[in-house]
Amino acid sequence: LGIIFYYIFATPLPSSTSLPWFSSATNFPIFFGTAIFAFEGISVVLPIENQMTNKKDMLGWNGVLNTSMVIIACLYISMGFFGYLKYGDNIASSVTLNLPENDVLAQCSLLMF
């Protein structure tokens, strides 16, 4: 994530008023499907809970589950907002595909993701 944020903030970002804030309603199903897929972590949550010594720490308003979901949501929102602000409508399906092709650091980030 640090490499991607480096490329996003390497040059000044355009104004947020230069891009539309919302897409057409026909794109909302794609958005909801992508968001649900990104947050689907049942295959990760249950093994973590099983390995925890004190399972009560998993739940609650400041439990492991809520804290991790808030952190992940903040990362997704910031990456989506600043990636769209940087690349606009020309953004690829993955923000890593917008990184420079001839840069070694960018290629390393493609290998990591």
Side-chain angles (χ1 to χ4, degrees), residues 35-108:
I36 290 171
F37 176 77
F39 281 102
E40 189 276 322
I42 195 67
S43 61
V44 176
V45 172
L46 291 176
I48 290 174
E49 184 180 16
N50 289 336
Q51 294 295 320
M52 291 180 68
T53 305
N54 189 358
K55 295 186 188 322
K56 293 178 184 176
D57 291 339
M58 185 72 170
L59 302 176
W61 70 271
N62 65 342
V64 173
L65 181 63
N66 286 345
T67 303
S68 61
M69 286 296 138
V70 167
I71 292 170
I72 290 170
C74 290
L75 286 173
Y76 282 163
I77 290 168
S78 63
M79 182 67 69
F81 177 77
F82 290 116
Y84 179 65
L85 192 60
K86 174 73 173 189
Y87 300 111
D89 288 334
N90 297 327
I91 195 163
S93 59
S94 174
V95 72
T96 56
L97 298 176
N98 288 91
L99 301 180
E101 295 178 2
N102 299 330
D103 199 336
V104 175
L105 190 60
Q107 294 302 314
C108 289

